[in-house]
Amino acid sequence: MDYVEKYTAIVDHYEKFMSSPQVSEGEYDCLLMLSGGKDSMYMLNKLKSETPKRIIAYTYDLPYESRNAIKNIKEISRLIDGDYISFSSYSKHKQLMRKVFLSDKNNTPLPLSRGDSQFRAEKTPCAICSSYLIASACFMAMNLKIPYVLYCADPIQMLGVETDLKKVIELLASHLGWDFLDELMGKKAHRVMEIDSKDLPSVVFPYVAMMNSYDKESIIKELERLGKLLPSSMGTMCSLYPILEYYSYKNYDCCIDSLEYAVSARKGVSSRDTLIRLTGEYKKIIMEIAVKAQLSDHDKTIIRRFADKVHPNSETDAEAMYRQIISLRSVAHELGIFDDLVANTAAYKKAEEEKFLNSVKGEIGEDF
């Protein structure tokens, strides 16, 4: 499925949801996945204020959720009149992410949707995690007899997410294996595959209605007006993010946010040269400094200055970025991939040295 076809399908799902009558079997018309980030908080308030839909907000409580995101979830549930539930399984989610990070990069690429499209391989951990969260939300919706699950991906993100629950399960199974999936989900995944698709919850992206008007800064301002919320993107980012960057550089030699940066450059938000320079600095910090067993004061100063450079107008975001980078090793240790991270760092440095040597052989001779 190409992007035009995907976008058309997303629009159709959204329009069907908005025009659907109130459900008669359950108490709610939809379940909204509430992460504590700006997009899900804003959309929850918008739909509660502007539609008659009976909404229940749902959070899968992740072990790597930022403190700001957790605070936001508590605050938004207080500020907005509505029902809210959460679910957590820290041990299973850690088991999931450990397997993904330690998987060989030659695993079969993940299918993006129908046809031959694929996820960008460096996004594999994010793709697996979001797919697992979607499946978990759909399972909860099935328990509550709710026909629609709202996933508040922004207009760029939504094109890279599968919406068909059976295909989500197939995606997870293709990468993790059915035996491992059974460990995580019991027999729920197998049961889904036996149910007629029309009887399964539909995943809807409500931000498709704002495809041409989506504005991050306006969303943040509206949330700040609403109450005591911390809606910044950096402040509510998953604490695994530096490890995701490490994974992307180590296995694929690229920045995990390269697509987003390209969009920013095309829109004129940031200059291409600046983005290239900053990503180069960030790669060096992640691969050579943040992985050290002990960070010196000089190392911390380098990281602090870089965070200030990336977020010159937000002390909150700069501080959040700094804290995330210096916690890379401790988070990796807690996740159970610490030893692998150290070993792979040595391998990465050796590969970089060999790459350099090969690049200069033609200029200074084979004996070098």
Side-chain angles (χ1 to χ4, degrees):
M1 181 187 289
D2 62 24
Y3 285 136
V4 174
E5 192 177 348
K6 175 86 173 181
Y7 172 73
T8 301
I10 289 173
V11 172
D12 289 345
H13 275 83
Y14 175 75
E15 291 179 347
K16 182 179 178 182
F17 161 66
M18 290 302 290
S19 62
S20 62
Q22 190 176 87
V23 298
S24 57
E25 292 187 34
E27 296 181 45
Y28 306 101
D29 300 310
C30 62
L31 177 148
L32 184 143
M33 296 172 66
L34 183 67
S35 68
K38 66 185 186 312
D39 293 321
S40 60
M41 292 192 299
Y42 175 84
M43 188 55 65
L44 176 60
N45 182 57
K46 179 179 175 63
L47 292 175
K48 290 287 294 183
S49 304
E50 299 177 5
T51 76
K53 298 293 185 183
R54 298 174 301 168
I55 304 168
I56 183 166
Y58 165 78
T59 298
Y60 186 104
D61 186 10
L62 296 168
Y64 301 104
E65 201 73 85
S66 74
R67 287 176 295 177
N68 285 349
I70 294 170
K71 289 179 182 177
N72 281 342
I73 291 169
K74 292 179 179 179
E75 191 66 17
I76 200 75
S77 59
R78 182 185 70 79
L79 292 170
I80 297 176
D81 182 29
D83 293 337
Y84 169 74
I85 53 173
S86 65
F87 174 79
S88 65
S89 181
Y90 282 11
S91 61
K92 286 187 176 181
H93 199 79
K94 289 179 181 180
Q95 185 184 2
L96 167 69
M97 298 312 297
R98 187 179 304 117
K99 181 175 180 66
V100 176
F101 276 117
L102 298 184
S103 293
D104 186 86
K105 72 174 183 178
N106 294 317
N107 273 333
T108 303
L110 301 175
L112 171 65
S113 185
R114 302 174 183 83
D116 297 325
S117 298
Q118 298 171 349
F119 276 119
R120 291 159 62 225
E122 71 274 14
K123 292 276 193 180
T124 296
C126 287
I128 291 292
C129 182
S130 63
S131 297
Y132 180 73
L133 297 183
I134 288 172
S136 300
C138 287
F139 293 157
M140 181 63 72
M142 291 167 68
N143 290 339
L144 298 175
K145 301 185 186 306
I146 299 174
Y148 294 99
V149 170
L150 307 189
Y151 184 53
C152 298
D154 68 35
I156 294 178
Q157 294 169 337
M158 69 176 67
L159 291 174
V161 181
E162 180 56 72
T163 58
D164 183 290
L165 179 55
K166 286 190 177 184
K167 292 191 177 296
V168 169
I169 297 298
E170 289 174 352
L171 184 154
L172 291 169
S174 71
H175 192 82
L176 304 172
W178 278 105
D179 290 341
F180 185 80
L181 204 57
D182 285 343
E183 286 184 45
L184 293 177
M185 299 179 169
K187 294 297 180 181
K188 292 178 182 177
H190 277 94
R191 287 198 291 270
V192 162
M193 302 307 291
E194 297 169 357
I195 299 173
D196 192 308
S197 293
K198 66 180 178 60
D199 296 322
L200 294 172
S202 294
V203 179
V204 174
F205 297 111
Y207 273 100
V208 73
M210 298 173 62
M211 199 73 178
N212 297 317
S213 60
Y214 179 84
D215 181 70
K216 180 175 70 174
E217 297 307 320
S218 295
I219 289 173
I220 289 175
K221 287 179 181 178
E222 175 60 22
L223 289 171
E224 289 173 340
R225 185 196 65 77
L226 183 64
K228 298 177 181 179
L229 300 171
L230 301 166
S232 73
S233 298
M234 192 68 219
T236 56
M237 191 173 286
C238 167
S239 63
L240 292 178
Y241 194 76
I243 300 178
L244 290 170
E245 287 284 13
Y246 179 90
Y247 173 92
S248 182
Y249 285 129
K250 177 179 72 69
N251 289 326
Y252 306 103
D253 194 29
C254 71
C255 173
I256 198 170
D257 286 326
S258 55
L259 178 61
E260 289 77 4
Y261 292 155
V263 171
S264 178
R266 283 198 297 270
K267 289 184 175 180
V269 177
S270 302
S271 76
R272 180 176 179 275
D273 290 343
T274 298
L275 290 171
I276 291 173
R277 176 172 50 79
L278 289 177
T279 53
E281 289 182 37
Y282 191 48
K283 177 181 178 180
K284 186 176 180 66
I285 287 172
I286 291 294
M287 302 305 295
E288 300 179 19
I289 298 177
V291 293
K292 289 183 179 180
Q294 188 74 37
L295 294 179
S296 66
D297 289 341
H298 179 63
D299 291 330
K300 292 179 180 179
T301 298
I302 291 174
I303 297 171
R304 172 77 70 180
R305 287 175 178 170
F306 178 76
D308 290 340
K309 192 187 305 181
V310 174
H311 300 286
N313 301 317
S314 175
E315 292 183 11
T316 300
D317 283 355
E319 177 67 17
M321 185 176 203
Y322 169 76
R323 292 294 172 190
Q324 280 201 343
I325 293 174
I326 65 173
S327 68
L328 188 154
R329 279 179 67 104
S330 62
V331 174
H333 180 81
E334 198 275 335
L335 181 59
I337 62 173
F338 178 77
D339 292 336
D340 180 79
L341 187 72
V342 174
N344 282 329
T345 300
Y348 169 81
K349 289 182 178 178
K350 183 179 179 181
E352 287 291 291
E353 290 171 1
E354 291 177 353
K355 185 177 174 182
F356 169 75
L357 290 175
N358 288 332
S359 71
V360 298
K361 275 181 181 178
E363 299 176 14
I364 60 178
E366 292 290 334
D367 293 336
F368 179 79

